[in-house]
Amino acid sequence: MGIRIVFFHLFAIALVTWALRRGLTESAVWKAAKGKMTAKVSVSALFSGRNLRAMVWTATIYLFWNLAAGTAGIFNPYIIRTLGSMSQAASVGLSSSGFLIMLAVTVVVFMRYSDRSYGTRRLLWGVGAIMQIVAYALYLIFPFTVSVIIANIVLFTGGAALAGEAFYKVFQPGIISDHAA
């Protein structure tokens, strides 16, 4: 029954999003860019130059970051429950706290600084990446305790707000200039 409730919520959100998007108009920037597009765009252009660099960057992020994010999202409750000897409710609650941490870091740091400059985006991405690496290194160095679990969740989700999916979309090395954001 639980999974049905989850999928019902996802379905309801998808319907609301779809309905809201139907009433949106394109921005002036998009309309201007679309007007400049030519009909003779080749598929080979997709796999060369700046487009190729952007696709390699995106593939690299999805390959490596999603391994860690998937592990955190799917297996953290299991790991916490099995190795930490906590109840299922406590392990899911502790894992879910990461969403609140990520939300807070996104609002307080990401939204405030991500549009500043290319150097700022690069710095924040580097800090976030290091936070996520340290988050999992804690499990290699320290005994598996509640405080280590909490430190892992805080570091990983805080770092994910800085160097996760949202940030890689505004940080394309060598592709997005200071004026493009």
Side-chain angles (χ1 to χ4, degrees):
M1 183 62 170
I3 196 71
R4 289 182 179 142
I5 293 170
V6 169
F7 277 104
F8 174 76
H9 282 95
L10 292 173
F11 179 73
I13 291 168
L15 280 177
V16 169
T17 303
W18 174 79
L20 290 173
R21 284 185 164 191
R22 293 188 49 87
L24 292 177
T25 59
E26 297 295 345
S27 69
V29 173
W30 172 255
K31 288 178 183 176
K34 189 175 179 184
K36 293 178 185 178
M37 297 171 99
T38 63
K40 293 187 175 188
V41 177
S42 69
V43 174
S44 64
L46 184 62
F47 298 102
S48 62
R50 292 167 48 140
N51 293 331
L52 179 62
R53 286 194 305 270
M55 286 179 26
V56 168
W57 173 252
T58 301
T60 302
I61 293 298
Y62 270 120
L63 176 65
F64 293 106
W65 184 77
N66 279 354
L67 286 173
T71 300
I74 294 171
F75 295 112
N76 260 3
Y78 173 78
I79 293 169
I80 294 168
R81 183 172 155 247
T82 304
L83 298 177
S85 300
M86 297 178 144
S87 69
Q88 180 68 17
S91 66
V92 171
L94 194 55
S95 291
S96 297
S97 69
F99 291 108
L100 298 174
I101 295 164
M102 191 180 301
L103 177 66
V105 174
T106 298
V107 169
V108 173
V109 180
F110 174 79
M111 293 176 75
R112 176 177 278 166
Y113 297 107
S114 65
D115 284 343
R116 296 277 170 106
S117 70
Y118 179 78
T120 302
R121 287 190 295 272
R122 206 164 100 180
L123 174 68
L124 290 176
W125 191 87
V127 168
I130 290 169
M131 287 172 67
Q132 291 175 88
I133 291 167
V134 169
Y136 280 102
L138 293 175
Y139 287 153
L140 300 173
I141 298 168
F142 298 106
F144 199 81
T145 62
V146 174
S147 59
V148 171
I149 293 167
I150 291 170
N152 169 272
I153 291 170
V154 168
L155 285 169
F156 185 78
T157 57
L162 302 177
E165 188 169 343
F167 211 91
Y168 93 83
K169 290 178 180 175
V170 298
F171 172 66
Q172 297 283 333
I175 298 168
I176 294 180
S177 69
D178 287 337
H179 306 290

